[in-house]
Amino acid sequence: GRIADPGVQSCSDLDLKSDGLVLNRVWFSLQTFTAWCNSHLRKAGTQIENIEEDFRNGLKLMLLLEVISGERLPKPDRGKMRFHKIANVNKALDYIASKGVKLVSIGAEEIVDGNVKMTLGMIWTIILRFAIQDISVEETSAKEGLLLWCQRKTAPYRNVNIQNFHTSWKDGLGLCALIHRHRPDLIDYSKLNKDDPIGNINLAMEVAEKHLDIPKMLDAEGEMKTVFAEAVLFTYCVLQAETAANRICKVLAVNQENERLMEEYERLASELLEWIRRTIPWLENRTPEKTMQAMQKKLEDFRDYRRKHKPPKVQEKCQLEINFNTLQTKLRISNRPAFMPSEGKMVSDIAGAWQRLEQAEKGYEEWLLNEIRRLERLEHLAEKFRQKASTHETWAYGKEQILLQKDYESASLTEVRALLRKHEAFESDLAAHQDRVEQIAAIAQELNELDYHDAVNVNDRCQKICDQWDRLGTLTQKRREALERMEKLLETIDQLHLEFAKRAAPFNNWMEGAMEDLQDMFIVHSIEEIQSLITAHEQFKATLPEADGERQSIMAIQNEVEKVIQSYSIRISSSNPYSTVTMDELRTKWDKVKQLVPIRDQSLQEELARQHANERLRRQFAAQANAIGPWIQNKMEEIARSSIQITGALEDQMNQLKQYEHNIINYKNNIDKLEGDHQLIQEALVFDNKHTNYTMEHIRVGWELLLTTIARTINEVETQILTRDAKGITQEQMNEFRASFNHFDRRKNGLMDHEDFRACLISMGYDLGEAEFARIMTLVDPNGQGTVTFQSFIDFMTRETADTDTAEQVIASFRILASDKPYILAEELRRELPPDQAQYCIKRMPAYSGPGSVPGALDYTAFSSALYGESDL
């Protein structure tokens, strides 16, 4: 608190002499009071010559009060009658009394009558109230504060020991030391002589009046009794200049730091947006590759992007938002206009670009996996097509030439019948291959639908097989008709050959089908599927004894044919005329079937082992995911609870959030381990997991959201601390603000709608009309989103409860440095300000072109207004 020095309480305190005044045993010259008054009246273009006469009509007294207070007094009476003068003096005395100054025994009549004692007492009261009382150094009174400030400034100087405002100043060295401390270029202190007090005082007064615009209030040759008032006013003028310079330095330092933060934001925003611009086209590229290896390479590139390239950018985006919020908070606290980034670099622009990146990324991995599945399916189908086509082509090779033969024309009846039966067996064989041809066509169609890269050759081969199949059908029908015509002529038939042919052909087809099934490729994705194939294979093996019995029966038929031919010396070939299947073929194919069975066993068991390994991978991943997922959710809930608590200091809440952040960062190893397991699962081509509802994408999104949430929550608390400290808000006020906000945050989502905010303000004592409420809403919801955040609420409440620097205060400080000129010179800035801030002002301050302009004049009024967004500079 500031405690003013004792003023004039009554006329008994005053002792009038012929040329001055003794107040509380301290003598003041009339020259001192006259010089002090003129130092202020000159600012209004006037001055006084005789202090007891020039204040009698009250006009210059009212003008003096207006100059030193900066306020307008009531309009004075311009009449020359006594009552006009008394009215003017009363207006001045009423204004002094309105400032809390008690005037005892000083009336308007005494001033109008030219009572020197009362006039000087009144002037001394004005000096105490408007010049000295507002001075305070380290919680001391005005006089004590000035004395402490003078002691500190003059401590390094020899022969100077300031202990009071009386004898300590009589040798003039104290006044010279104050000037030298602030302007060493004006006085050579080393040449001063302690034994020449008059010379020292005159030097100090002349230099102060000429170079520092401090009025000459002390005449060294006149009186040397005491210099209390002169020393007080002199040191006050010097201290005022120093205070003005310090204020400007503070304002400029804040502005320079804000500009540095703006430039850093622009740079980081440009780098992040450029990275997003380059990344989105890569993620939007859906051009499929023709091989599995190429698609696997794309998948590996995408994994590298998610693990290595994107996480640092997530951190950069989060830090950019934090820096932007911190900068805006600093600008609001320092009463500066909000920062508006250049076009395309707003936080919303970055968020929009990031959202487009997420949209592009969202379907990319799914597309990659689908493409890999498609290529795997294509390779399987292509191999299956090649096997079936090769089998069919092998079977169909030469069939057209056989069907075109006309051997029945010269054949015997037995031969014709044999040809007919043989043809019937061929038809049976042809019908059995109908399914295979349909399968080949179906596989070819599916390869076309799946966009197989070699579809042209597949289609060409399939078309040849279908065309050949049509020709075989036509030729078979024609040959049957010819044989049936010949059958009427030929009646002998070999029953044994016919029986052999009938039984050998199906058995041969069964063996071919069995070999095809045993060599058939398979794709399974679970233990159940491979177990089903193993069961089917075991059932097939169970039919082998019955098939072996059929094989032996067929071989017995052929043996019987040979026995009959040998027994009855029949002159025909032992070959079966009704069948193309030979005993050697049956033996070879049967041996082949027996060889393929154990091979099939081994491949099925290997696949079973692989499925068991995949199942272990699923369970291992599920165990970790089922633990990590709830952990992330619990941490999100803990952070949410911490952000709305209203007890304890903000620093305690910050420490708790920092501990949460530390724990989250330490938990990163679990996420990395889960990523490793996920990679093993994908490399094993495992695409489902019934043991958990969590996917790696769920965990990634949750983890990134957790990192962003803790960073934003910490930033909010830091902003609250910064606001509290800068605005002088107490912890109890912050808790009260938080309690009010939480009470009216009915949805508990950290936001209040307009009606909730209106109810909150009414509960805090605001009397709101529609116009006033609309004005407040433009402050807390400038974008018209319909909600009020807690930070906006805190900013509004701190503006309602705290004071900040204004453009007018900065202009007034510059005016002091400029000695009341409407402009300031570069050398004055370099003299009063630190070099970097002086250069900053010189570079940014526009030229002054108003009245009284001189070369090099700078317009500090326009510059100060621009600092607070009040001009277009």
Side-chain angles (χ1 to χ4, degrees), residues 698-733:
H698 291 154
I699 299 298
R700 289 180 186 133
V701 172
W703 179 252
E704 292 173 0
L705 180 60
L706 178 60
L707 292 176
T708 301
T709 299
I710 187 63
R712 286 177 177 169
T713 305
I714 290 174
N715 178 248
E716 289 177 1
V717 176
E718 290 175 341
T719 300
Q720 294 175 28
I721 293 173
L722 184 61
T723 301
R724 180 198 66 190
D725 295 340
K727 298 294 186 177
I729 304 300
T730 66
Q731 184 63 47
E732 289 73 20
Q733 286 177 304

Side-chain angles (χ1 to χ4, degrees), residues 30 52 69 103 119 122 142 203 207 254 288 304 355 386 388 462 486 583 633 728 790:
L30 291 178
E52 64 268 27
S69 68
L103 298 172
T119 301
M122 178 190 63
L203 176 63
V207 170
V254 170
D304 288 341
Q355 185 177 10
R386 287 190 290 269
K388 288 185 176 293
C462 180
M486 293 298 295
M583 292 297 296
Q633 182 62 32
F790 179 67

Side-chain angles (χ1 to χ4, degrees), residues 8 52 97 104 116 139 173 179 210 213 229 233 277 319 361 437 485 502 535 630 646 670 676 774 851 862:
V8 177
E52 64 268 27
V104 180
V116 178
E139 305 297 328
L173 290 179
I179 295 175
K210 180 179 180 181
D213 197 31
L233 295 178
R277 184 192 65 78
Q319 189 60 46
E361 177 186 321
V437 174
R485 287 193 300 270
K502 287 183 177 181
T535 301
I646 63 174
N670 296 313

